[in-house]
Amino acid sequence: MELTINGQTHQVDIEPDTPLLWVLRDELGMTGTKYGCGLAQCGACTVLVHGQATRSCVTPVETVAGAKIMTIEAIETDPVGQKVVEAWVAQQVPQCGYCQSGQVMAATALLKQSARPTDEEIAGAMVNLCRCGTYNAIAAAVREAAQA
Amino acid sequence: MNDMTVPAQASSTGAPLNLSRRGFLGASLGALVLGVALPARQARAQQADAPAIKPGTRVNAFLEIRPDGTVLFRSPFMEGGQGIFTALAQIVGEELDVEPTQFVMEPAPPGPDYLLIGGMRFTGGSMSVRLSYDAMRRLGAAARQMLLQAAAVQLGVPLAELTTEPGRVVHAASGRSLAYGDLAGAAAALPVPENVTLRERADFRWIGKPFARLDIHAKSTGKARYAIDQTVDDMLYGAVQHARRLGMEPGDISNEAQVRAMPGVHSVHRLPGAVAVLANSWWRARRAAEALEVNWTEPASGTANAMPADFSTEGHLAKLKAMPGAGLDFETEGDAAAALAGATQKVEAVYDAPYLAHGQLEPSSALARFNADGTLELWLPNQAPEMFQADAAKVAGLSPDKVILHSQLLGGFFGRHFLYTTANAYPQAILLAKASGRPVKLLWSREEEFLRDALRPMAVARFRAGLDANGLPVAYEAVAVGEGPAGRWFGRKTDKVDSSSVEGIAGKPYAIPNRRIAQIHVDDPMIIGFWRSVGHSMNDFFSETFFDEMADAGKQDPYALRLRLLADKPRHKALLEAVADLSGGWKRGPFTAQDGTRRARGVAMASPFGSEVATIAEVSLRDGEVVVHDVWVAIDPGSIVNPAIINAQVNSAVALGLSSALFEEAVYAEGVPRARNYDGYPILPPDRMPKVHVRIVESGAPMGGIGEPGVPGVPPAVVNAASVLTGKRIRSLPLSKQRLSAGEG
Ligand code: FES
Ligand code: FES
């Protein structure tokens, strides 16, 4: 099966129902995308598929063969992603950091869809869990990135 | 993976061989290579007569100044989001005269140099900065002194003519200067000075400032690596299926042959209380482990920690509530019994709080590799390296010096990564690596993590208070019922109360003349653990909400009553006034907010981990649930290192405290947990996060903790506010158990 991740193609030979998350982490060694729940509950595994925030822990890899996948590893090569990272740094968002790959990806997806999101749109898109409670800093960073 | 490979022997260096490579010696070897040596004299002395090492004094065990001027610092404390790496860089950098941004931080290996918490080491109790602050400052100052001495020799000038600026020694008279990186080799050969001069507080450039965290960019770009991300060559992935009840053991596996034939499966293993599969990817290992049809055998009677088949949290709560007796005294003043008997009015209430899971977002994992030289290497999350090393050695059948521990960045901890026997993943990783002869990375699925977490204990507190004719409390009796984690893991004396079971009920500042705080110990069948703010996480909820009950019974405003009972406690009184001021002046409500919602405010105080905290919460009710709009926190940690980190930690603590107040409860029936993932154990989602307002008060009192103190005030402040709206007291958490409706209020 052929996967296009961060602009590069990869051939993987794997059971087609394997979640994309584990293909990224274990087959391709891209460990920036995290495992938190495996059940679409937390969002730590968020990647972009055709620009849409997607929970890779419940995404069978066969469903994204041929799709344009972007992971946190490429975040700074993406102009929107770059802005988001800058805002994350400016707002000093992460604490333990474990959820933050997913948060940054979710924010990037939002800003790709809506360059000037309203507070409601931000709340609607930024639904990933953070056990360290960085939620206020996340919201501030998304607003900042939208203004950048 | 070369950086993870360890030389088999270090004999040719003339350095001691009888100590762990990754103990203090590891530091010296690395340093020799890089140019900042452990003074050879000291190293040899260490070998010859092994004088006691004074923790936190040997410069070279902690820092290496590299040729490019960056400083590699081995942190005695683990970073899990609390900002300790940055705080240490600020503290050491201040005295060493190196910009904190020039620091590269890594967790220190096990070793005597790092035992900075009263001869032990752990990252917890919000102790890291406050217990190491002086030692770390002196360490930085000592290193600076050594660099100055080396520069004096090199430049041929008197020491007194030299000064430093960040990263350089300067000889102003001749206009010459030398970079630290160029002096490091010579400096390292000098003895560590005994006496050093510390910078004046007024001259601090970095301590006390909102310095940017060192790890933010890496954590915003997926580059930060955690235990779960580590790999080594030839590694197998491991997944387990735990017995649903602790103490059960795996018997026959009816489909073992089929599972062995599943794609990628390497082998199937029986472990104490679990079965495991090793495979060439974790997903395959997990799928296979879950497919195993295991005939679990019941625990033999007397099995340690066996979970009773009939255990339920409901039953345990009833047992705690029904425990007879007056308990063992912990804190007494005056004569509470007599004062109660003579009181005009009595108030009584029984409170309870549930078991809680840590729910840190990174599930437990461990990577284990046995090396050809007989050592065992472990990559794992932990809050206490020496304790983990010693325990891992036992599991592996090695001496501790053969266990090389690579402590990892923690994907959240909140108390999760202490030594909790069955709650740690690494013993299984060790056994699997041994059995397979291959390195094994074991990862617990979220479901297995929930099943084996060490839970915040359940507890009950019984209160009785007596009021005088003016409605003021004159007698106060509180009896906590349950078991504390400190007693469980560090030893409990039957004739003494474990302070972790009463902290937050005891140690309150209010002037009530007759008091008795006691505890009834009840063995908890659960594996219990430390959970951010430990006993305070529930006990301040109990005591501070009961405080409002006393106030209401005596027709007193709860804020005014607190102020009155703190009249002789200037530090507390000032803090309470500070939080009221921060919130725009105390108002209890109910009142109608601009958006038309009926709202009320609650207040609470807590004295956790050497800091003082006052909290106000503003809430409304919506569809039977409590909505928290704003939380104001005034925190007095005495003195501070980084206000930005404190602000972030208070935000984080408010989130966790609120999560526990609103949603969290680990429920068991028939010995098994109801929830095995976040769907059944909800934690605070983003749309329930209130605005958080923080005021830091530096009273100059001895430095207190930061990571935990923000937690305990939140549940009582929220519940006190909610009770104003409902007109009914709420004495049990979480609030989501009940549908709340507005009362007369
Ligand atoms: S790991 Fe995918 S949503 Fe939690
Ligand atoms: S930063 Fe720790 S889980 Fe979000």
Side-chain angles (χ1 to χ4, degrees):
Chain A
M1 177 179 333
E2 191 170 284
L3 296 176
T4 307
I5 303 166
N6 303 333
Q8 273 191 304
T9 56
H10 301 262
Q11 295 296 331
V12 294
D13 179 18
I14 195 125
E15 299 83 286
D17 60 348
T18 306
L20 173 61
L21 173 65
W22 299 105
V23 177
L24 292 172
R25 290 184 56 86
D26 291 354
E27 303 296 319
L28 303 173
M30 299 165 78
T31 53
T33 307
K34 300 302 186 211
Y35 165 69
C37 70
L39 213 61
Q41 294 288 313
C42 73
C45 63
T46 304
V47 299
L48 303 195
V49 177
H50 289 313
Q52 299 273 351
T54 304
R55 292 185 164 177
S56 64
C57 70
V58 291
T59 303
V61 65
E62 62 183 333
T63 65
V64 292
K68 241 179 83 191
I69 300 163
M70 181 178 144
T71 70
I72 189 75
E73 278 81 6
I75 195 70
E76 287 183 295
T77 65
D78 181 273
V80 178
Q82 173 72 37
K83 267 199 324 191
V84 170
V85 169
E86 278 164 16
W88 243 246
V89 173
Q91 292 292 334
Q92 297 275 299
V93 175
Q95 292 196 14
C96 86
Y98 194 77
C99 73
Q100 299 295 341
S101 294
Q103 307 281 7
V104 166
M105 295 313 284
T108 302
L110 167 66
L111 296 181
K112 278 173 183 289
Q113 256 125 58
S114 170
R116 295 272 181 279
T118 62
D119 281 359
E120 285 67 42
E121 283 176 305
I122 293 174
M126 300 305 294
V127 294
N128 289 356
L129 297 178
C130 173
R131 187 57 159 165
C132 300
T134 63
Y135 299 131
N136 288 334
I138 287 173
V142 175
R143 282 193 293 269
E144 177 169 328
Q147 267 140 39
Chain B
M1 292 303 119
N2 285 336
D3 57 329
M4 291 183 176
T5 315
V6 170
Q9 284 281 308
S11 55
S12 61
T13 62
L17 292 172
N18 59 338
L19 291 163
S20 150
R21 154 89 173 59
R22 291 283 166 149
F24 86 94
L25 177 58
S28 72
L29 283 179
L32 279 166
V33 172
L34 290 161
V36 182
L38 178 73
R41 210 164 345 113
Q42 281 193 11
R44 266 178 238 113
Q46 174 67 20
Q47 178 186 27
D49 27 327
I53 288 171
K54 188 164 176 245
T57 57
R58 297 192 320 149
V59 168
N60 299 286
F62 287 85
L63 53 88
E64 274 173 32
I65 298 171
R66 303 189 290 194
D68 64 357
T70 58
V71 177
L72 176 68
F73 189 84
R74 296 184 186 82
S75 168
F77 306 109
M78 301 303 142
E79 177 62 67
Q82 80 280 39
I84 186 64
F85 280 4
T86 306
L88 286 172
Q90 288 176 268
I91 295 165
V92 177
E94 186 75 62
E95 299 292 349
L96 175 60
D97 208 358
V98 170
E99 285 264 3
T101 50
Q102 296 300 101
F103 278 70
V104 176
M105 308 298 287
E106 65 177 37
D113 282 294
Y114 310 110
L115 307 179
L116 284 159
I117 307 285
M120 291 170 35
R121 165 158 67 145
F122 53 84
T123 305
S126 298
M127 289 184 193
S128 302
V129 169
R130 55 188 168 126
L131 270 77
S132 72
Y133 182 66
D134 292 334
M136 291 296 101
R137 284 182 68 193
R138 279 197 301 274
L139 187 87
R144 176 174 172 273
Q145 189 64 24
M146 290 155 78
L147 290 158
L148 282 166
Q149 285 168 356
V153 172
Q154 208 151 319
L155 296 171
V157 300
L159 186 63
E161 290 179 13
L162 295 173
T163 55
T164 61
E165 60 185 45
R168 303 189 77 80
V169 178
V170 179
H171 186 241
S174 67
R176 289 178 297 168
S177 74
L178 288 167
Y180 279 6
D182 297 329
L183 288 165
L190 299 170
V192 178
E194 296 270 317
N195 297 312
V196 290
T197 320
L198 299 178
R199 286 183 86 90
E200 290 299 324
R201 200 181 149 86
D203 298 336
F204 284 170
R205 297 147 300 168
W206 299 308
I207 295 178
K209 303 295 182 315
F211 202 81
R213 293 253 314 262
L214 302 177
D215 49 359
I216 292 293
H217 184 264
K219 286 177 171 177
S220 303
T221 51
K223 293 193 183 81
R225 288 171 69 83
Y226 303 82
I228 190 178
D229 301 323
Q230 301 303 327
T231 56
V232 293
D233 289 345
D234 200 34
M235 169 184 104
L236 289 168
Y237 293 84
V240 293
Q241 179 192 145
H242 284 117
R244 65 186 180 281
R245 274 186 277 113
L246 213 51
M248 298 175 93
E249 294 296 340
D252 303 335
I253 300 175
S254 60
N255 61 346
E256 191 167 336
Q258 290 96 301
V259 169
R260 267 186 221 286
M262 285 172 71
V265 169
H266 172 275
S267 47
V268 174
H269 301 262
R270 284 174 179 71
L271 298 170
V275 289
V277 173
L278 298 179
N280 62 359
S281 84
W282 187 74
W283 179 251
R284 288 174 172 139
R286 182 200 177 167
R287 214 154 34 173
E290 286 186 340
L292 289 169
E293 286 165 16
V294 185
N295 183 15
W296 297 98
T297 61
E298 287 294 331
S301 76
T303 303
N305 297 322
M307 168 59 78
D310 60 355
F311 174 81
S312 71
T313 40
E314 199 187 348
H316 192 63
L317 180 59
K319 178 177 172 180
L320 295 183
K321 283 188 166 170
M323 276 312 285
L328 212 53
D329 284 0
F330 182 77
E331 183 184 288
T332 56
E333 195 169 311
D335 186 340
L340 261 170
T344 312
Q345 191 187 349
K346 291 193 187 66
V347 191
E348 285 190 40
V350 179
Y351 280 77
D352 64 81
Y355 293 104
L356 299 179
H358 289 93
Q360 81 291 346
L361 216 52
E362 180 192 18
S364 296
S365 68
L367 167 54
R369 176 173 74 186
F370 285 93
N371 296 314
D373 64 359
T375 57
L376 165 66
E377 271 184 286
L378 286 170
W379 291 261
L380 79 180
N382 76 81
Q383 295 178 242
E386 289 75 17
M387 295 177 212
F388 276 61
Q389 183 191 42
D391 187 67
K394 260 192 253 160
V395 175
L398 297 171
S399 58
D401 64 312
K402 295 275 187 243
V403 176
I404 300 160
L405 205 70
H406 306 280
S407 301
Q408 299 294 308
L409 204 58
L410 304 172
F413 58 120
F414 322 117
R416 174 66 182 88
H417 296 303
F418 284 110
L419 215 52
Y420 294 131
T421 122
T422 52
N424 302 109
Y426 67 88
Q428 295 173 346
I430 294 170
L431 296 175
L432 291 168
K434 206 171 198 176
S436 64
R438 299 264 297 267
V440 169
K441 178 161 84 175
L442 175 74
L443 166 63
W444 284 359
S445 68
R446 176 56 61 187
E447 288 76 11
E448 300 303 330
E449 172 73 20
F450 263 101
L451 184 61
R452 280 293 173 273
D453 190 4
L455 303 181
R456 198 282 304 268
M458 170 184 271
V460 158
R462 303 204 279 257
F463 292 94
R464 292 199 297 165
L467 311 180
D468 67 13
N470 298 318
L472 295 175
V474 288
Y476 184 83
E477 185 190 78
V479 182
V481 190
E483 181 183 356
R488 169 77 65 99
W489 301 112
F490 295 114
R492 184 179 65 88
K493 295 207 178 72
T494 47
D495 60 344
K496 269 193 81 183
V497 174
D498 166 6
S499 63
S500 74
S501 66
V502 289
E503 58 189 11
I505 297 175
K508 302 302 287 192
Y510 306 117
I512 301 175
N514 302 287
R515 290 196 313 275
R516 174 175 180 270
I517 314 297
Q519 199 250 2
I520 299 174
H521 173 85
V522 179
D523 280 333
D524 199 311
M526 201 75 83
I527 299 292
I528 56 171
F530 299 89
W531 193 94
R532 195 174 186 177
S533 80
V534 194
H536 288 281
S537 68
M538 54 194 167
N539 289 331
D540 283 293
F541 159 66
F542 300 150
S543 62
E544 288 289 312
T545 37
F546 182 70
F547 189 101
D548 276 32
E549 293 208 44
M550 291 192 302
D552 285 344
K555 308 245 178 308
Q556 310 281 321
D557 174 81
Y559 173 81
L561 181 61
R562 280 179 175 83
L563 266 191
R564 179 174 185 143
L565 298 184
L566 294 171
D568 297 333
K569 298 274 167 61
R571 185 182 180 194
H572 297 85
K573 189 164 172 278
L575 197 67
L576 185 57
E577 286 168 337
V579 77
D581 179 58
L582 182 66
S583 66
W586 168 249
K587 58 171 175 178
R588 192 184 196 194
F591 53 89
T592 303
Q594 289 210 328
D595 65 359
T597 52
R598 289 284 281 169
R599 298 190 184 183
R601 291 184 182 178
V603 60
M605 301 200 70
S607 309
F609 307 97
S611 290
E612 296 295 337
V613 184
T615 308
I616 290 176
E618 178 173 316
V619 314
S620 66
L621 300 177
R622 186 172 67 205
D623 304 331
E625 288 191 323
V626 172
V627 177
V628 181
H629 301 275
D630 288 86
V631 175
W632 295 270
V633 179
I635 180 166
D636 172 10
S639 61
I640 68 167
V641 172
N642 187 325
I645 288 177
I646 294 174
N647 200 311
Q649 282 300 292
V650 170
N651 263 270
S652 171
V654 166
L656 199 70
L658 183 56
S659 190
S660 73
L662 294 181
F663 305 113
E664 295 186 36
E665 119 182 90
V667 177
Y668 275 62
E670 294 176 349
V672 300
R674 186 177 70 190
R676 300 280 297 273
N677 208 318
Y678 295 115
D679 54 348
Y681 186 98
I683 62 173
L684 191 81
D687 64 349
R688 302 298 291 272
M689 182 75 191
K691 289 196 211 80
V692 180
H693 316 264
V694 184
R695 181 174 296 175
I696 300 166
V697 176
E698 284 189 85
S699 64
M703 192 184 270
I706 286 303
E708 297 166 276
V711 175
V714 178
V718 167
V719 170
N720 282 336
S723 291
V724 175
L725 295 175
T726 61
K728 274 201 296 254
R729 297 308 309 183
I730 300 160
R731 303 191 179 108
S732 180
L733 292 180
L735 293 173
S736 59
K737 283 193 302 194
Q738 30 189 321
R739 267 191 85 75
L740 302 171
S741 53
E744 335 269 82

